[in-house]
């Protein structure tokens, strides 16, 4: 039995001292080495899960991700592989139950970090596929629900996954390894397409900081000469880091404040942005200010290109009001030094923006370029519909 | 009689291209407007002709020699910034002539003669056309329906080194010290980029002329402008007018000079100085035009004290009418548009919009306000303080959170810096974004602007003409790390801090002015009506 640490909902800004204290207390609970004689693989596994959860809770404060989504995805997948290897399960159904349970805890720890949920769904789909292949059935082909299937088969999918196969574990682990390799190569795959889209003497606009876009632009800069305008994206100003990193590769960069986005847009040829999540309808959940950027690009008929790897594709829809927006401390917006007016004023600091799919021209992902209207199809290939709700 | 004879012989001469003495005779009969127009055309012609001639003092000299026209005061320039008209023929010529490099007199004379001949030939042709149009329309006002060749204002031509040299010489003539002009050459093919990247410092011609010829209240005003202590269109205009009142008070007419001409000439170097400290706003330009007109309308037999009193009253009435009473009228109209339960969005700190909201609150309207702010100026905090002090319920966000907050909003009130003649609204940078997103969410956008801010310029995007602010304001320290601290050491990195932007008229639903509530596209109508009145 593991002593469950107190769940402290962290909603203060990362740097405030009282918050640090609470977190330190939390950490002490998790890092206590459980030196039981004959330390089980299970306890080791649970420890790792707990530490992963606490890291998720800590780093997702929206203060420009302390680690990128790619890392999170990789760590999640590695953790799931470990669970597959070390947890006790007899058949595919039990394994899926375990993964689902852990998955629910992980997504609850940081609801805005959707890559965790996406990876879990991918692994679940892998398990289904491997199971189906082991059974040798033709179920690989008709994974989707259709009215016809509902009528004819009805409820037969429930008692699947109870059969035991000896090689299932090895197959699943091998498939997860493949997934990991794919994850490692996503940024390179996206950057390889850069030269098709960026030409000489173009002016490209971007907002905030995205590692994918950074790699994309740097790859194009090796052969072409162009100019980049970075909107700094207050209040966290991640745009500044992006600009310094780009200009070190001798890319001509200009930093503008958010208010000048529309003013400058008349001179821009393309807008290339990254995003936090790609939603199921082809819309985006991106850093705040992106919707304004997209509207300005639409007004000037400038193409808006989104560089997003496939692991950011999430089966969520944007209508869920309570889970869509995330807020951080309004101290960023109206600091405590303003004193007397603080008590009489509401200040908001949302982190994300919703960008509807009509404003997007192209998605560039590791499997190539797609229109926003195609996203639903890609999603059905990656995730099984029953896994959309963990 | 002589006129008709002259016209006939002139037509013959135009055919043959020879100079006739009768043409000189006819010149004296030109009206004041025609002379003004001729002078402008000649200037434009000269500017087009000479590419790499000497400094403009030389041409001024020749102009004096060739045109025996009476030296009119510089009140003819329609927009102050548009004409480096010879300021004061007698006074400033002598010190300037002394510092020119010596050229042999014969060469100068030869050049002068050649230029005179070509000028006269071209002027004949232009005068023909001009004469016909003026004879057919006896009451042609100076602004409309004439082939006015507008001279580009100096601040638009900052990327042309020749124009900059001319500006430097003009300032030297007026004994105003020039401040470095920094310009960002962004994406212009014609403009050469230096090795050190995008920020190109032009015209490092700092002239070491003492600034003691400038009145101290003007010096103080210039400093307040450049430091940003006085900011905001109305505040700057009012401060300018008060400073001019002081100047007029301290002014004394030198002997053998008329107040109406000399005072205007005295004001020109002050205006150049102020525009060096910070480029003039449209409202200030209109105020200056008004003052110059009033000064030149002072009858010559008026005594000095009397004239001064008249001018002070004029300035006071201008401030009262155009700014204070106008804001009362605008509030009255605007309050009709505010209903109970409204959520009103405002951007930055506009004195007029704050005034409207405070008045509406006093009239017991129930509403709440969302103040949107943007880096680096963060002017919204000032507006927030004023509104909260009144007791209005406020919310505060940054402009990047606009898409989040806009679904709650029922109306947007914006202030304006100027309204351009093609219906575009020139205002603080970020205003166009607010209008764009409000349009996308179908929220009505109302712009509040006094009529004295309407100006004749046209502009279609925010790049062709704008003011640049200090780029170091963009640097921010967060969590102890300043990423852009040494941005100047990076060759490829630039920071762009624009001050103004233009909003297209299709984003704006209504403009509330002291003349009433008009659509954005009616601005040129208002300008025309104002000109006819004057």
């Amino acid at each position: 039995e593991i002593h469950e640490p107190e769940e402290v909902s962290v909603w203060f800004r990362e740097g405030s001292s009282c918050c640090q204290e609470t977190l330190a207390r939390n950490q002490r609970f998790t890092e206590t080495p459980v030196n039981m004689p004959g330390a089980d693989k299970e306890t080791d596994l649970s420890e790792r899960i707990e530490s992963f959860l606490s890291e998720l809770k800590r780093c997702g404060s929206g203060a420009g991700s302390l680690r990128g989504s790619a890392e999170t995805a990789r760590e999640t997948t590695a953790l799931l592989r470990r669970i597959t290897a070390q947890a006790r399960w007899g058949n595919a159904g039990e394994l899926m139950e375990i993964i689902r349970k852990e998955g629910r805890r992980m997504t609850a720890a940081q609801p805005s970090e959707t890559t965790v949920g996406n990876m879990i769904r991918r692994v679940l789909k892998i398990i289904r596929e491997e199971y189906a292949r082991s059974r040798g059935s033709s179920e690989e082909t008709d994974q989707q629900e259709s009215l016809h299937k509902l009528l004819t088969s009805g409820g037969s999918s429930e008692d699947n996954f109870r059969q035991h196969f000896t090689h299932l574990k090895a197959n699943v682990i091998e498939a997860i390894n493949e997934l990991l390799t794919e994850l490692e190569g996503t940024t390179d795959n996206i950057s390889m397409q850069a030269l098709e889209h960026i030409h000489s003497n173009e002016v490209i606009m971007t907002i905030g900081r995205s590692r994918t876009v950074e790699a994309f632009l740097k790859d194009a800069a090796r052969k072409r000469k162009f100019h980049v305008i970075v909107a700094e994206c207050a209040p966290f100003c991640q745009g500044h880091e992006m600009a310094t990193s780009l200009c070190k590769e001798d890319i001509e960069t200009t930093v503008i404040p958010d208010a000048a986005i529309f003013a400058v847009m008349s001179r821009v040829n393309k807008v290339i942005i990254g995003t936090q999540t790609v939603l199921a309808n082809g819309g985006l959940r991106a850093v705040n200010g992106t919707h304004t950027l997209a509207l300005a690009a639409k007004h000037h008929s400038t193409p808006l290109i989104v560089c997003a790897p496939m692991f950011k594709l999430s089966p969520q829809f944007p209508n869920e009001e309570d889970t869509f927006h995330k807020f951080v401390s309004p101290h960023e917006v109206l600091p405590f030094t303003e004193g007397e007016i603080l008590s009489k004023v509401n200040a908001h600091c949302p982190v994300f923006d919703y960008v509807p799919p009509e404003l997007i021209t192209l998605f560039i992902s590791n499997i190539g370029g797609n229109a926003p209207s195609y996203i639903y199809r890609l999603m059905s290939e990656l995730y099984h519909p029953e896994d959309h709700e963990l | 009689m002589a006129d008709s004879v002259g016209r006939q012989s002139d037509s013959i001469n135009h055919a043959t291209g020879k100079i006739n003495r009768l043409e000189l005779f006819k010149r004296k009969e030109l009206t004041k407007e025609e002379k003004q127009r001729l002078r402008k055309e000649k200037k434009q012609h000269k500017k087009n002709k000479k590419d790499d001639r000497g400094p403009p003092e030389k041409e001024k000299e020749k102009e004096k020699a060739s045109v025996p026209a009476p030296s009119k005061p510089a009140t003819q320039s329609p927009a102050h910034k548009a004409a480096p008209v010879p300021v004061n023929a007698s006074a400033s010529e002598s010190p300037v002539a002394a510092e020119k490099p010596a050229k042999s007199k014969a060469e100068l004379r030869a050049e002068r003669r050649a230029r005179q001949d070509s000028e006269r030939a071209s002027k004949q042709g232009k005068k023909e056309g001009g004469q016909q149009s003026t004879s057919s329309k006896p009451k042609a006002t100076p602004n409309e329906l004439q082939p006015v060749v507008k001279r580009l204002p100096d601040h638009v031509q900052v990327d042309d080194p020749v124009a900059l040299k001319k500006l430097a010489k003009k300032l030297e003539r007026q004994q105003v010290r020039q401040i470095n002009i920094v310009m960002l050459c962004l994406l212009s093919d014609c403009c050469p980029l230096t090795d050190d990247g995008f920020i190109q410092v032009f015209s490092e011609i700092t002239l070491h002329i003492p600034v003691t010829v400038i009145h101290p209240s003007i010096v103080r005003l210039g400093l307040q402008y450049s430091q940003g202590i006085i900011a905001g269109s109305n505040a700057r205009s009012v401060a300018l007018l008060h400073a001019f009142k002081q100047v007029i008070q301290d002014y004394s007419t030198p002997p053998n000079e008329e107040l109406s001409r000399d005072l205007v000439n005295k004001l020109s170097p002050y205006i150049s100085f102020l525009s060096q400290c910070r480029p003039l706003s449209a409202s200030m330009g209109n105020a200056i035009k008004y003052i110059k007109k009033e000064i030149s309308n002072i009858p010559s037999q008026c005594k000095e004290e009397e004239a001064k009193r008249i001018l002070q009253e004029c300035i006071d009435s201008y401030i009262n009418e155009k700014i204070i009473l106008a804001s009362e009228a605008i509030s009255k109209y605007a309050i009709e548009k505010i209903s109970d339960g409204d959520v009103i969005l405002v951007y930055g700190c506009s004195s007029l919009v704050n005034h409207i909201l405070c008045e509406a609150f006093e009239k017991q309207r129930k509403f709440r306000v969302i103040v949107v702010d943007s880096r680096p100026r963060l002017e919204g905090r000032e507006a927030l303080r004023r509104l909260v002090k009144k007791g209005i319920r406020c919310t505060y966000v940054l402009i990047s959170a606009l898409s989040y907050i806009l679904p709650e909003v029922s109306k947007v009130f914006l202030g304006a810096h100027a309204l351009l003649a093609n219906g575009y609204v020139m205002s603080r940078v970020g205003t166009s974004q607010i209008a764009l997103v409000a349009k996308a969410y179908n929220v009505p956008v109302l712009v509040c602007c006094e009529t004295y801010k309407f100006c004749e310029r046209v502009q279609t995007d925010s790049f062709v003409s704008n003011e640049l602010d200090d780029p170091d304001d963009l640097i921010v320290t967060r969590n102890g790390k300043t990423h852009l601290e040494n941005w100047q050491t990076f060759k490829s990195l630039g920071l762009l801090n624009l001050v103004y932007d233009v909003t297209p008229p299709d984003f704006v639903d209504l403009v509330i002015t002291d003349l009433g509530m008009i659509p954005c596209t009616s601005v040129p109508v208002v300008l025309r009506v104002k000109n006819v009145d004057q």
Side-chain angles (χ1 to χ4, degrees):
Chain A
E1 287 276 67
I2 278 289
H3 178 63
E4 287 274 329
E6 295 164 13
E7 303 250 307
V8 178
S9 55
V10 180
W11 51 275
F12 280 113
R13 187 173 71 94
E14 188 54 31
S16 58
S17 53
C18 59
C19 158
Q20 291 284 31
E21 228 181 57
T22 340
L23 285 173
R25 244 184 290 135
N26 229 9
Q27 250 177 313
R28 254 178 278 137
F29 281 128
T30 51
E31 282 173 345
T32 314
V34 184
N35 273 326
M36 290 204 302
D40 252 342
K41 268 197 292 184
E42 242 185 55
T43 32
D44 172 57
L45 179 64
S46 315
E47 247 180 58
R48 283 181 196 272
I49 296 178
E50 295 307 326
S51 69
F52 183 67
L53 281 179
S54 62
E55 265 195 63
L56 271 181
K57 275 190 215 165
R58 232 183 307 141
C59 83
S61 69
S65 42
L66 289 180
R67 56 183 187 170
S69 335
E71 256 187 73
T72 316
R74 223 174 299 136
E75 288 202 19
T76 315
T77 319
L79 188 62
L80 289 173
R81 180 179 58 185
R82 193 177 282 276
I83 292 178
T84 317
Q86 292 177 353
R88 258 188 274 135
W89 51 278
N91 51 36
E94 282 175 25
L95 178 59
M96 279 167 50
E97 262 316 302
I98 295 175
I99 290 186
R100 246 194 274 264
K101 178 167 141 293
E102 295 303 330
R104 268 187 290 249
R105 285 179 67 208
M106 284 191 227
T107 46
Q110 190 62 249
S112 70
E113 193 65 54
T114 43
T115 42
V116 173
N118 296 345
M119 288 297 107
I120 291 168
R121 294 183 183 96
R122 287 287 285 272
V123 167
L124 287 172
K125 173 123 184 180
I126 286 176
I127 297 173
R128 283 175 205 267
E129 276 178 0
E130 290 303 322
Y131 182 82
R133 198 171 304 144
S134 300
R135 269 177 104 225
S137 69
S138 59
E139 265 183 60
E140 308 163 358
T141 46
D142 42 15
Q143 298 275 2
Q144 265 113 302
E145 286 184 358
S146 68
L147 283 178
H148 182 86
K149 249 185 67 183
L150 274 177
L151 281 175
T152 53
S153 52
S156 62
S157 51
E158 297 234 345
D159 48 7
N160 283 343
F161 307 118
R162 294 285 169 240
Q163 269 186 285
H164 174 78
F165 292 107
T166 41
H167 298 293
L168 185 62
K169 191 176 209 169
N171 288 346
V172 168
I173 291 183
E174 199 185 308
I176 295 183
N177 284 336
E178 275 176 30
L179 179 60
L180 272 172
T181 339
E182 184 196 316
L183 283 179
E184 275 159 31
T186 47
T187 317
D188 290 328
N189 282 337
I190 293 180
S191 318
M192 282 194 314
Q193 305 172 49
L195 282 176
E196 293 169 16
H197 297 280
I198 298 180
H199 303 281
S200 287
N201 295 329
E202 277 201 325
V203 179
I204 299 191
M205 182 144 172
T206 182
I207 186 171
R209 176 161 200 214
S210 162
R211 283 171 188 72
T212 318
V213 174
E214 211 179 303
F216 192 81
L217 294 175
K218 284 183 181 173
D219 197 85
R222 285 191 288 124
K223 295 247 177 74
R224 307 254 157 96
K225 204 102 187 75
F226 53 91
H227 188 128
V228 177
I229 300 181
V230 181
E232 66 181 6
C233 189
F236 301 112
C237 296
Q238 305 104 310
H240 294 188
E241 289 179 46
M242 176 85 155
T244 39
S245 142
L246 284 177
C247 73
K248 287 196 176 112
E249 304 283 326
D250 278 338
I251 302 177
E252 308 273 2
T253 322
T254 306
V255 177
I256 59 166
D258 294 333
I261 287 177
F262 187 77
V264 164
M265 186 56 78
S266 55
R267 292 290 187 274
V268 172
N269 297 121
K270 281 193 174 76
V271 180
I272 300 184
I273 56 175
T275 175
Q276 202 258 357
T277 311
V278 179
L279 299 166
N281 63 344
L284 298 181
R285 192 210 315 227
V287 76
N288 64 346
T290 314
H291 190 208
T292 311
L293 182 64
L295 283 172
K298 186 82 179 185
H299 182 262
H300 287 98
S301 299
T302 311
L304 177 68
I305 298 177
V306 180
C307 290
M310 271 294 119
F311 63 80
K312 287 192 180 170
L313 181 55
S314 157
Q316 286 176 337
F317 277 90
N319 304 324
E320 291 134 53
E321 284 297 327
D322 49 348
T323 51
F324 187 84
H325 276 295
K326 182 170 119 167
F327 298 89
V328 289
S329 163
H331 168 92
E332 308 284 344
V333 166
L334 197 59
F336 295 118
T337 46
E338 289 294 318
E340 32 184 85
I341 53 176
L342 267 186
S343 52
K344 308 183 186 126
V345 163
N346 296 333
H348 297 286
C349 188
V351 179
F352 296 124
D353 243 357
Y354 170 62
V355 181
E358 304 84 61
L359 301 175
I360 302 170
T361 317
L362 185 68
F363 278 99
I364 294 183
S365 67
N366 45 320
I367 57 179
N370 302 303
S373 46
Y374 189 62
I375 293 292
Y376 82 96
R377 189 75 197 167
L378 289 175
M379 202 183 62
S380 66
E381 288 172 16
L382 290 179
Y383 312 123
H384 194 273
E386 284 182 6
D387 296 330
H388 287 188
E389 288 291 320
L390 276 182
Chain B
M1 183 59 191
D3 209 19
S4 57
V5 167
R7 222 173 271 137
Q8 274 175 15
S9 52
D10 198 40
S11 57
I12 298 171
N13 278 332
H14 179 59
T16 57
K18 286 216 198 101
I19 302 164
N20 197 346
R21 203 168 294 165
L22 277 170
E23 185 224 348
L24 274 173
F25 174 59
K26 203 175 17 152
R27 196 176 285 137
K28 289 198 175 66
E29 295 171 5
L30 298 175
T31 63
K32 183 171 152 191
E33 282 93 348
E34 288 170 37
K35 284 202 189 82
Q36 173 188 335
R37 191 178 41 83
L38 282 176
R39 199 167 289 135
K40 263 192 283 175
E41 284 169 2
K42 199 174 5 141
K43 276 225 162 2
Q44 184 59 33
H45 199 68
K46 239 180 281 187
K47 177 187 172 260
N48 291 341
K49 269 195 322 204
K50 74 161 183 65
D51 280 329
D52 42 354
R53 297 288 175 78
E57 285 89 337
K58 239 184 254 173
E59 68 176 355
K60 200 169 54 78
E61 260 191 24
K62 271 161 223 124
E63 191 191 5
K64 294 281 168 302
S66 64
V67 177
S71 66
K72 283 283 176 185
T75 53
Q76 305 138 3
S77 50
H80 148 74
K81 52 187 181 251
V85 176
V87 174
N88 192 349
S90 44
S92 48
E93 205 181 339
S94 30
V96 158
E99 4 177 358
K100 270 209 316 299
K103 240 190 179 185
S104 76
K105 285 220 174 123
E107 276 180 53
L108 283 172
R109 231 178 272 137
E111 270 184 87
R112 231 183 290 155
R113 213 173 295 128
R115 229 171 277 148
Q116 278 172 34
D117 291 346
S118 46
E119 275 161 28
R120 282 212 189 106
S122 63
K123 214 190 320 170
Q124 268 186 311
K126 284 208 186 104
K127 224 162 16 85
E128 277 299 316
Q131 275 238 315
Q132 278 154 15
S133 70
T134 45
S135 53
S136 57
K137 292 184 176 86
K139 210 183 120 200
T141 54
N143 280 347
E144 50 188 336
L145 307 175
Q146 284 183 0
V148 171
V149 180
K150 266 211 199 138
R151 205 174 173 287
L152 284 179
D154 289 324
H155 68 274
V156 174
Q157 293 184 310
V158 185
D159 59 342
D160 182 14
V162 174
L164 276 180
K165 272 201 214 117
K166 272 173 70 173
L167 173 65
K169 291 296 186 291
K170 166 193 162 199
L171 293 174
E172 187 178 338
R173 204 167 57 227
Q174 295 176 340
Q175 299 192 320
V176 171
R177 202 174 75 178
Q178 181 171 29
I179 298 165
N180 279 340
I181 303 173
V182 175
M183 193 192 94
L184 182 75
C185 304
L186 188 67
L187 322 159
S188 55
D189 298 317
C190 52
C191 184
L193 301 174
T194 58
D195 292 336
D196 50 319
F198 274 93
I199 304 282
Q200 192 169 4
V201 178
F202 262 112
S203 68
E204 295 193 326
I205 322 166
T206 36
L207 309 168
H208 299 285
I209 297 175
V211 192
T212 49
V213 293
I214 309 280
H215 192 279
S217 62
I218 300 279
V219 175
R220 185 178 65 185
L221 188 65
L223 279 177
Q224 285 172 328
Y225 282 165
S226 63
Q227 296 293 313
I229 296 172
I230 295 187
S233 189
N234 280 342
R236 282 165 73 187
S237 308
V238 170
L240 177 75
L241 290 169
H242 281 301
F244 274 178
K245 267 172 67 173
Q246 188 64 38
V247 167
I248 292 174
Q249 190 63 40
D250 297 339
Y251 170 76
S252 55
T253 326
N256 305 331
E257 285 292 342
E258 273 197 39
L259 180 134
S260 58
R261 284 182 219 143
D262 186 56
L263 183 54
V264 174
N265 298 335
K266 274 281 184 314
L267 288 181
S268 295
Y270 300 165
I271 293 165
S272 302
F273 173 75
L274 288 177
S275 66
Q276 286 293 299
C277 293
R278 193 176 162 189
L280 295 183
S281 63
S283 50
M284 287 164 72
N286 287 345
I288 290 170
K289 249 198 296 182
Y290 173 78
I291 290 182
K292 286 191 173 173
K293 191 173 77 71
E294 287 300 313
I295 292 176
S296 61
N297 282 348
I298 298 244
S300 40
Q301 61 270 22
C302 208
K303 272 208 269 290
E304 186 173 318
E305 287 308 316
E306 179 70 20
K308 282 196 203 177
R309 195 184 53 79
I310 292 179
L311 287 176
Q312 308 268 15
E313 274 178 19
C314 279
I315 292 181
D316 280 334
S317 78
Y318 187 83
I319 295 180
N320 202 27
E321 245 179 58
K322 304 279 185 184
I323 302 180
I324 299 180
L325 286 181
S327 84
E328 296 291 324
I330 293 177
S331 307
K332 218 158 47 84
Y333 289 123
I335 288 175
E336 293 170 25
K337 291 289 177 192
I338 301 180
S339 25
D340 284 345
D342 261 348
V343 180
I344 297 180
L345 186 125
V346 299
Y347 177 63
C349 185
S350 165
S351 52
L352 186 55
V353 174
N354 290 344
H355 183 250
I356 291 174
L357 292 176
C358 294
E359 290 273 309
F361 190 71
E362 272 168 28
K363 295 218 167 64
Q364 312 300 327
R365 293 274 202 272
K366 307 269 175 298
F367 59 91
R368 66 183 178 90
V369 174
I370 299 181
V371 178
V372 176
D373 201 8
S374 76
R375 285 191 70 240
R377 283 182 168 229
L378 293 173
E379 290 172 332
R381 292 198 186 158
E382 182 55 42
L384 193 65
R385 269 178 229 126
R386 291 188 201 168
L387 294 174
V388 166
K389 211 189 304 195
K390 269 286 182 166
I392 302 177
R393 261 191 312 147
C394 295
T395 308
Y396 178 80
V397 287
L398 287 181
I399 197 170
S400 39
L402 192 59
S403 306
Y404 164 70
I405 202 89
L406 211 60
E408 301 179 12
V409 173
S410 62
K411 290 187 181 69
V412 177
F413 273 80
L414 299 174
H417 170 89
L419 241 64
L420 305 177
N422 58 343
Y424 279 64
V425 178
M426 180 155 152
S427 183
R428 185 69 77 213
V429 66
T431 313
S432 52
Q433 248 167 270
I434 306 237
L436 167 79
V437 184
K439 187 86 181 170
Y441 281 89
N442 276 326
V443 175
V445 174
L446 293 85
V447 171
C448 308
C449 182
E450 299 96 337
T451 45
Y452 87 105
K453 288 184 189 165
F454 287 15
C455 81
E456 307 237 346
R457 282 179 46 213
V458 289
Q459 203 173 319
T460 48
D461 70 8
S462 324
F463 248 97
V464 295
S465 161
N466 209 327
E467 190 184 324
L468 287 180
D469 211 359
D470 186 5
D472 289 331
D473 289 340
L474 288 179
I475 302 177
V476 70
T477 308
R478 236 199 127 248
N479 291 343
K481 280 190 285 193
T482 315
H483 290 275
L484 290 184
E485 206 161 17
N486 304 317
W487 65 275
Q488 273 152 347
T489 57
F490 295 115
K491 268 190 335 153
S492 332
L493 187 58
L495 298 178
L496 181 58
N497 193 355
L498 296 173
V499 179
Y500 297 117
D501 73 4
V502 283
T503 309
D506 35 353
F507 292 160
V508 177
D509 292 306
L510 189 65
V511 178
I512 307 181
T513 67
D514 39 323
L515 294 178
M517 299 195 258
I518 58 175
C520 236
T521 45
S522 297
V523 171
V525 175
V526 171
L527 282 171
R528 194 191 178 101
V529 163
K530 266 198 337 175
N531 286 337
V532 166
D533 282 344
Q534 285 172 8

